[in-house]
């Protein structure tokens, strides 16, 4: 780029741009070789631009952008622009891997290997590298399988100091992407981080002390051993408490004998149930009348769970005069339980699902996905899960953007609920490895992932840019004719 007008147009039409400013063409030579490879890797998701501030034409542009690469040691400066405006100075590792990772997620955390404390960790990037490491390494190996968003909870600074690395190998592998499903299945990666211990390439057992310090891991590595089985928890029904624990056999009689009963259907393994249990017990101690608090282990009393269609835990149901009256998802604390039982009334109606609301967003499923997209020139698709907090934040903005373009027959905003079983294969096929994921399609053909701002302005600017490009092309064709 040499002209200010052209540069402004670039920033207006591309929402993820890394710009190399150089004091001369010679100073830019080595950087351009690397950036050419980066550009190939991020094609469709990011843009690389070069401005030679030593060139007569470009000098004015550099002045207007207030950039002076002459002040830099190597005579080059890397700046990132997002959604038409300056975002940040690129100050991460100047490597292909780091720059590609940055352009795929400019807001994301740096790669683990960029941390100076991680220099002694073996960083594995592919299944092929993992197999090679396991095959050739004779030393005992401790491998952390992690996801970028979770990795800081137990990262490199928690791995032992250098002396132990003379006798052990410490390695890390980001397996969050869908391409590593086979690895996750083989080593039973069900959460992050998962730490596996290998000897002579053979997996032996996991390290499972998630509250461990570097010293704890160092101590464990002196005598590695499989996790000891934990003593089974005492069933809630066997503990001393004032909650009535009901079964398939005595449930109906109890409900009939008590005019007002709140029942908590729970499962022993359910984390939300464990969190709620002390609140429920405190409420039961306070409330002997007018309400009675009871509980049912739905994993043992399956007939009751089936009869009352229990599909999630905990589920609270209120029974009045022997009949089921309300399901109460909002009662989770002692105060709320007590307040509600002292004045039982119908709970507020549940918030309708996104696809049940009247909006301009098209909700797609596996069988009609591709055919629906072929009917629109430009479609931005949001792949989401209803429980995902980032999705919940983005939904109102995405919905508003769809309203803005509802009269344009060539443009559509669509959504796919990946939590629905019928959509699992579709989401995997479309490269969804986290929520929300936004893909842009042109007449049903995937073009690029949208990585811009998740507010209304970001979603609308993206579509306006596409529409402007269409108008420019039409204008050019008319001029040619």
């Amino acid at each position: 780029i040499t002209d200010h007008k052209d540069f402004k147009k670039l920033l207006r039409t591309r929402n993820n741009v890394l710009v190399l400013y150089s004091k001369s063409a010679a100073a830019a030579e080595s950087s351009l070789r690397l950036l050419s490879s980066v550009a190939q890797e991020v094609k469709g998701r990011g843009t690389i631009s070069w401005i030679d501030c030593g060139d007569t034409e470009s000098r004015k542009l550099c002045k207007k952008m207030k950039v002076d690469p002459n002040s830099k040691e190597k005579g080059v400066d890397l700046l990132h622009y997002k959604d038409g405006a300056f975002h940040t100075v690129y100050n991460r590792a100047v490597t292909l891997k780091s720059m590609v990772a940055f352009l795929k997620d400019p807001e994301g955390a740096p790669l683990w290997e960029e941390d100076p404390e991680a220099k002694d960790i073996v960083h594995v990037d592919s299944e092929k590298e993992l197999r090679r490491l396991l095959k050739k390494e004779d030393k005992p190996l401790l491998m952390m399988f992690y996801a970028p968003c979770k990795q800081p909870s137990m990262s490199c600074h928690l791995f032992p100091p250098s002396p132990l690395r003379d006798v052990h190998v410490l390695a890390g592998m980001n397996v969050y992407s869908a391409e590593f499903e086979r690895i996750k299945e083989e080593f039973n990666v069900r959460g992050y981080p998962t730490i596996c211990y290998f000897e002579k390439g053979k997996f032996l057992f996991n390290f499972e002390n998630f509250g461990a310090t570097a010293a704890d891991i160092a101590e464990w590595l002196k005598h590695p051993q499989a996790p000891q089985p934990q003593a089974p928890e005492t069933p809630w029904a066997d503990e001393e408490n004032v909650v009535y624990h009901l079964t398939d056999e005595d449930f109906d009689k109890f409900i009939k004998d008590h005019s007002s009963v709140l029942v908590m259907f729970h499962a022993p393994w359910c984390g939300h149930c464990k969190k709620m249990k002390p609140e429920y017990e405190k409420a039961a101690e306070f409330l002997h009348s007018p309400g009675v608090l009871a509980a049912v282990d739905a994993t043992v009393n399956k007939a009751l769970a089936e009869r009352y269609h229990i599909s999630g835990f905990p589920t609270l149901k209120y029974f009045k005069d022997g009949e089921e009256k309300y399901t109460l998802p909002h009662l989770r604390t002692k105060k709320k339980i007590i307040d509600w039982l002292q004045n039982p009334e119908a709970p507020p109606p549940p918030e309708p699902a996104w696809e049940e609301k009247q909006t301009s967003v098209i909700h797609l499923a596996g069988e009609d996905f591709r055919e629906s997209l072929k009917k629109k020139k430009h479609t931005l698709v949001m792949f989401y899960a209803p429980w995902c907090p980032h999705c919940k934040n983005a939904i109102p903005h995405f919905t508003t953007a769809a309203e803005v373009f509802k009269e344009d027959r060539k443009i559509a905003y669509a959504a796919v609920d990946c939590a629905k079983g019928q959509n699992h294969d579709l989401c995997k096929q479309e490269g969804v490895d986290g929520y929300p994921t936004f893909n842009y399609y042109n007449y049903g053909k995937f073009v690029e992932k949208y990585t811009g701002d998740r507010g209304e302005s970001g979603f609308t600017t993206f579509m306006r840019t596409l529409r402007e490009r269409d108008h420019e092309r039409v204008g050019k064709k008319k001029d040619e004719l």
Side-chain angles (χ1 to χ4, degrees):
I1 299 282
T2 57
D3 180 69
H4 185 255
K5 197 179 286 184
D6 289 341
F7 187 57
K8 283 294 182 186
K9 183 181 176 184
L10 175 74
L11 297 186
R12 195 173 68 247
T13 55
R14 304 293 175 93
N15 59 12
N16 181 22
V17 184
L18 186 64
V19 181
L20 172 72
Y21 293 90
S22 68
K23 70 176 183 180
S24 66
E29 195 173 331
S30 63
S31 298
L32 285 173
R33 278 199 296 271
L34 172 61
L35 288 170
S36 295
S37 301
V38 174
Q40 289 299 316
E41 293 287 329
V42 299
K43 195 173 182 179
R45 295 180 68 168
T47 303
I48 308 290
S49 177
W50 172 39
I51 299 173
D52 177 9
C53 297
D55 178 76
T56 310
E57 284 186 65
S58 307
R59 203 169 292 144
K60 290 179 185 176
L61 170 55
C62 295
K63 277 188 177 179
K64 281 193 175 182
M65 300 310 294
K66 297 179 181 175
V67 179
D68 180 17
N70 288 292
S71 62
K72 301 295 177 179
E73 186 182 341
K74 294 183 179 179
V76 294
D77 207 356
L78 278 166
L79 304 185
H80 183 255
Y81 297 82
K82 187 170 177 285
D83 300 323
F86 171 72
H87 172 230
T88 186
V89 174
Y90 180 85
N91 54 12
R92 285 163 53 172
V94 184
T95 63
L96 176 68
K97 188 178 174 185
S98 290
M99 297 179 99
V100 168
F102 171 79
L103 281 167
K104 285 184 175 179
D105 184 10
E107 306 285 353
L111 296 173
W112 186 12
E113 53 260 53
E114 291 177 35
D115 188 326
E117 292 185 34
K119 61 180 170 46
D120 292 329
I121 306 292
V122 177
H123 296 281
V124 180
D125 294 324
S126 67
E127 182 175 346
K128 189 176 179 181
E129 282 184 38
L130 174 64
R131 303 291 178 202
R132 192 186 302 131
L133 177 66
L134 294 177
K135 189 176 180 180
K136 76 175 179 82
E137 192 52 68
D138 289 328
K139 294 178 193 171
L141 168 71
L142 197 63
M143 166 67 74
M144 180 193 291
F145 295 106
Y146 67 94
C149 56
K150 302 287 183 185
Q151 171 254 321
S153 65
M154 184 182 272
S155 62
C156 47
H157 64 277
L158 289 180
F159 264 174
S162 293
L164 264 177
R165 292 176 187 148
D166 296 334
V167 289
H168 294 87
V169 173
L170 301 162
M173 183 177 184
N174 171 10
V175 292
Y176 184 65
S177 171
E179 69 184 284
F180 297 118
E181 286 303 320
R182 192 163 68 173
I183 295 289
K184 287 184 268 192
E185 194 64 38
E186 182 177 345
F187 297 111
N188 198 31
V189 179
R190 296 287 179 264
Y192 302 109
T194 293
I195 301 180
C196 298
Y197 179 74
F198 297 83
E199 286 186 2
K200 298 194 180 300
K202 184 181 177 184
F203 168 64
L204 296 185
F205 36 73
N206 291 96
F207 176 81
E208 291 187 353
N209 181 2
F210 296 113
T213 63
D216 293 330
I217 298 174
E219 190 62 34
W220 182 84
L221 278 171
K222 290 176 184 176
H223 306 285
Q225 56 183 326
Q228 299 303 306
Q230 293 183 337
E233 291 184 31
T234 305
W236 190 11
D238 294 344
E239 296 177 14
E240 283 188 29
N241 57 70
V242 291
V243 175
Y244 293 89
H245 292 273
L246 306 178
T247 65
D248 287 334
E249 289 73 32
D250 61 13
F251 182 86
D252 291 331
K253 184 177 186 307
F254 186 90
I255 296 297
K256 190 177 178 183
D257 292 346
H258 296 80
S259 63
S260 176
V261 187
L262 184 64
V263 181
M264 175 180 167
F265 291 87
H266 66 96
W269 45 260
C270 159
H272 294 297
C273 304
K274 289 176 183 176
K275 187 177 178 182
M276 184 180 166
K277 179 182 156 188
E279 296 289 315
Y280 201 67
E281 288 177 343
K282 288 173 192 171
E285 286 171 12
F286 183 89
L287 279 171
H288 294 290
S289 175
V292 171
L293 268 62
V296 171
D297 183 343
T299 64
V300 175
N301 303 285
K302 294 179 181 177
L304 283 172
E306 192 174 328
R307 192 205 305 182
Y308 292 107
H309 308 291
I310 306 301
S311 58
F313 303 109
T315 294
L316 267 72
K317 288 186 177 288
Y318 179 66
F319 294 81
K320 179 70 176 170
D321 298 326
E323 298 290 333
E324 179 189 353
K325 198 165 177 67
Y326 305 127
T327 299
L328 303 156
H330 64 296
L331 301 186
R332 288 291 183 269
T333 64
K334 171 190 169 184
K335 185 177 186 311
K336 285 185 178 180
I337 292 167
I338 292 169
D339 289 349
W340 189 87
L341 275 172
Q342 288 179 334
N343 183 28
E345 57 183 18
E351 177 75 11
W354 186 17
E355 60 190 276
E356 293 170 0
K357 298 177 183 177
Q358 289 293 319
T359 72
S360 296
V361 175
I362 304 166
H363 291 272
L364 303 175
E367 63 274 5
D368 61 0
F369 180 77
R370 197 67 58 190
E371 288 306 312
S372 298
L373 293 187
K374 285 179 182 177
K375 297 172 185 174
K376 300 289 182 179
K377 185 170 186 180
H378 304 298
T379 308
L380 187 61
V381 180
M382 175 176 170
F383 296 88
Y384 73 101
W387 45 261
C388 155
H390 296 300
C391 303
K392 289 176 183 175
N393 291 338
I395 283 172
H397 301 294
F398 196 77
T399 304
T400 307
E403 286 296 314
V404 173
F405 292 94
K406 66 180 179 181
E407 303 299 332
D408 193 319
R409 288 181 295 175
K410 292 182 179 179
I411 289 175
Y413 287 78
V416 175
D417 180 354
C418 294
K420 286 187 174 179
Q422 70 196 87
N423 293 331
H424 283 175
D425 289 343
L426 169 64
C427 295
K428 194 172 180 181
Q429 172 190 310
E430 298 305 310
V432 177
D433 53 16
Y435 305 119
T437 290
F438 299 90
N439 285 357
Y440 162 59
Y441 297 84
N442 181 263
Y443 287 124
K445 185 179 178 182
F446 170 75
V447 178
E448 63 178 312
K449 283 191 182 293
Y450 170 82
T451 56
D453 180 64
R454 293 177 182 176
E456 179 197 341
S457 63
F459 295 133
T460 53
T461 301
F462 179 75
M463 279 301 183
R464 284 198 180 100
T465 301
L466 292 171
R467 198 159 63 175
E468 282 175 21
R469 282 189 209 164
D470 289 345
H471 291 160
E472 284 176 11
R473 288 190 192 109
V474 170
K476 281 180 183 176
K477 284 182 181 177
K478 282 182 178 177
D479 291 343
E480 287 168 9
L481 287 168

